[in-house]
Amino acid sequence: MGQLKVNNISKRFGAVAALDGVSFEAGPASVVAVLGPNSAGKSTLLNCVASVLRLDGGSIEIGNARVGYLGHSSFLYDALANLTFWARLAGVDGYSQKVRGLLEAAGLDRHGDKKVRALSAGMEKKLSICRAVINDPEVLILDEPFSALDESARCFAFDCIRRVRECGGIVLFTTHQLELAREVATHTLALCGGKVVSYGRVGVKA
Amino acid sequence: MIKRAILLVKKDIAIELSQFRAVGTIAIMSILIILIFALAMGQAISAAQAGAVLAISFLFCGIVAVERSFDSETQNGAMDAMRSMGQTDFIFWGKCLFVAGFLLAVEIWICLVFAVMFNFDLFSFWLGILVLLCGFNISFAAVGVVFSAMLAKCRGKGFLLTLLVLPVLISPVIAITSGLKVVLSGGGLGEISNWLKFLAGFDVVFVGLAWISFEKVLE
């Protein structure tokens, strides 16, 4: 994976400028915590990088990197045992083994065949993180990944982020928990009113 | 892309079979529509009337089928995860395939209900009906998928979908109603060839426009 380059991007929703001239670069093995108050444009930025939203201006260079994305919703189907479907959709080789491995790592191996509606909220969150990393992403985008997680689930989320970073990938995540951001991130990007307030390295790494 | 589209179709079939949401609604709705016509018109109906009853049933039950086509994607935002994979073509083709197949299943069910309630021998005309349905369903599925995707997160999407889809489908509806009238009067495929060409033309136009506009609609 090369670099993620975000060049002067803008995104408007009607009269509201959700992103206004946002630029930053993240190199291989970077974990970028996107911080800021509500309505700062954090989720919009992640949606743009994940190609879910079209840009009004600027550009995002991401190459042909495999992208793993987890938004505010779980992105899971209630009536399915999801991971196999998502693994096959992403074209994962040896998907059965990959699914088994991830479920074991998440502590969900006994619940692998269950439909999502039969899982607890915490299990569903873990499963949604599994879904985001099922394709061994080179760019992992996580919107509020640590909200509503217990300690074991948080450790699992940390492990996923660490694994992507160790493989030279880039992780972009939003959080309101500054302590977690310091613990996990290599860089922080602070947004306010759709503009970059600051961007730089943090001392503590994952 | 084809592999992904087929996976999407299999997923939709699995979800529908596990929940029976659209199937249950459509089964009851189709029986009610045909029952109302049977009570109003009696069992002695002409080929033209039979064609009209069938076309109305196909259309309104089809709208329900189309309306539900993105329910599973909007429930937990799965559509966004698919869009983050870079391509959206497979979503369009997968949904079109599923909706067209589902419409055909719905229409076969409607034909069975119609045959029983009107004591009408539809089976003698199965080939003509099937060919007309295939031509009609392609346009219906393409238009329906685009509008359904557009309205996926709207409240009152059933009403809006009806408002948007029906005017666009007027020409294919005219073609299938007229074609059914000819077929049920004993006409062969040769006699409906003009209607089939008409449907094929609309299929090409609607599928092309729907494919081009699908990504913009998702945005």
Side-chain angles (χ1 to χ4, degrees):
Chain A
M1 171 64 205
Q3 284 205 318
L4 167 67
K5 288 185 184 175
V6 175
N7 306 315
N8 197 28
I9 64 168
S10 57
K11 179 71 192 173
R12 300 186 74 86
F13 296 106
V16 179
L19 293 175
D20 186 7
V22 172
S23 298
F24 70 95
E25 287 183 19
S30 299
V31 180
V32 181
V34 184
L35 308 170
N38 290 333
S39 308
K42 304 184 296 294
S43 297
T44 306
L45 172 65
L46 265 54
N47 278 325
C48 288
V49 177
S51 310
V52 173
L53 288 178
R54 196 176 291 218
L55 299 175
D56 291 336
S59 65
I60 295 173
E61 294 171 38
I62 199 168
N64 290 321
R66 287 188 303 275
V67 175
Y69 176 45
L70 173 61
H72 279 298
S73 308
S74 67
F75 297 170
L76 299 171
Y77 293 104
D78 283 349
L80 286 183
N82 282 266
L83 276 194
T84 305
F85 166 71
W86 286 107
R88 294 183 70 190
L89 200 67
V92 176
D93 293 327
Y95 61 86
S96 306
Q97 208 175 341
K98 177 81 186 168
V99 167
R100 230 182 355 259
L102 266 176
L103 287 172
E104 271 176 28
L108 293 172
D109 39 331
R110 284 185 297 120
H111 308 282
D113 296 332
K114 282 186 184 171
K115 291 174 179 170
V116 170
R117 59 184 172 215
L119 299 177
S120 69
M123 287 174 176
E124 186 177 341
K125 186 83 179 184
K126 277 203 248 183
L127 192 65
S128 64
I129 295 170
C130 291
R131 188 210 53 75
V133 296
I134 192 81
N135 59 342
D136 290 323
E138 293 160 303
V139 177
L140 179 61
I141 302 163
L142 304 168
D143 202 351
E144 300 277 359
F146 306 117
S147 61
L149 289 186
D150 65 11
E151 197 51 40
S152 77
R154 192 175 300 168
C155 286
F156 174 65
F158 280 12
D159 282 345
C160 289
I161 291 173
R162 195 176 293 126
R163 227 171 290 144
V164 173
R165 193 187 152 207
E166 283 168 1
C167 294
I170 297 168
V171 181
L172 210 61
F173 72 96
T174 63
T175 184
H176 289 285
Q177 296 159 279
L178 294 180
E179 282 307 311
L180 281 175
R182 283 198 200 99
E183 197 177 336
V184 182
T186 59
H187 294 72
T188 55
L189 173 73
L191 291 176
C192 190
K195 294 183 176 180
V196 175
V197 176
S198 71
Y199 179 58
R201 283 191 78 85
V202 290
V204 185
K205 294 168 190 168
Chain B
M1 185 189 78
I2 295 169
K3 207 172 158 187
R4 280 180 168 180
I6 291 169
L7 268 171
L8 207 57
V9 174
K10 284 183 182 170
K11 181 271 298 174
D12 279 336
I13 292 171
I15 288 179
E16 190 52 51
L17 289 178
S18 76
Q19 295 183 328
F20 283 103
R21 273 193 192 167
V23 168
T25 311
I26 289 167
I28 294 167
M29 189 176 167
S30 57
I31 291 171
L32 273 175
I33 291 173
I34 295 171
L35 181 66
I36 289 166
F37 277 115
L39 290 174
M41 300 163 84
Q43 287 199 330
I45 58 168
S46 67
Q49 288 169 327
V53 171
L54 283 172
I56 288 170
S57 309
F58 295 158
L59 198 60
F60 286 103
C61 293
I63 289 281
V64 177
V66 166
E67 183 198 338
R68 303 285 171 92
S69 58
F70 280 92
D71 276 6
S72 58
E73 269 69 34
T74 49
Q75 200 170 34
N76 290 324
M79 179 66 86
D80 288 346
M82 286 186 197
R83 291 175 64 198
S84 71
M85 291 176 163
Q87 286 185 327
T88 53
D89 286 352
F90 78 92
I91 305 174
F92 174 75
W93 291 111
K95 285 292 173 187
C96 275
L97 270 175
F98 173 72
V99 170
F102 192 43
L103 285 173
L104 189 63
V106 165
E107 287 155 353
I108 290 170
W109 163 254
I110 288 171
C111 286
L112 290 173
V113 174
F114 178 89
V116 170
M117 286 204 188
F118 280 96
N119 195 22
F120 196 105
D121 178 22
L122 285 176
F123 303 104
S124 313
F125 316 110
W126 71 272
L127 185 61
I129 296 173
L130 186 66
V131 174
L132 281 169
L133 286 179
C134 289
F136 178 65
N137 288 353
I138 293 170
S139 289
F140 199 169
V143 172
V145 162
V146 168
F147 282 117
S148 184
M150 187 192 289
L151 301 170
K153 291 178 184 171
C154 289
R155 285 182 188 171
K157 66 177 171 180
F159 167 71
L160 287 170
L161 196 67
T162 310
L163 214 62
L164 291 169
V165 169
L166 292 187
V168 178
L169 283 178
I170 280 177
S171 304
V173 167
I174 290 170
I176 194 170
T177 310
S178 307
L180 280 172
K181 179 182 163 187
V182 176
V183 165
L184 297 178
S185 308
L189 286 180
E191 289 171 61
I192 55 167
S193 62
N194 282 340
W195 291 118
L196 291 176
K197 284 176 195 164
F198 190 71
L199 279 174
F202 274 102
D203 288 345
V204 171
V205 172
F206 283 151
V207 170
L209 287 176
W211 188 19
I212 291 166
S213 57
F214 188 68
E215 196 173 345
K216 287 190 174 67
V217 162
L218 286 185
E219 167 79 7

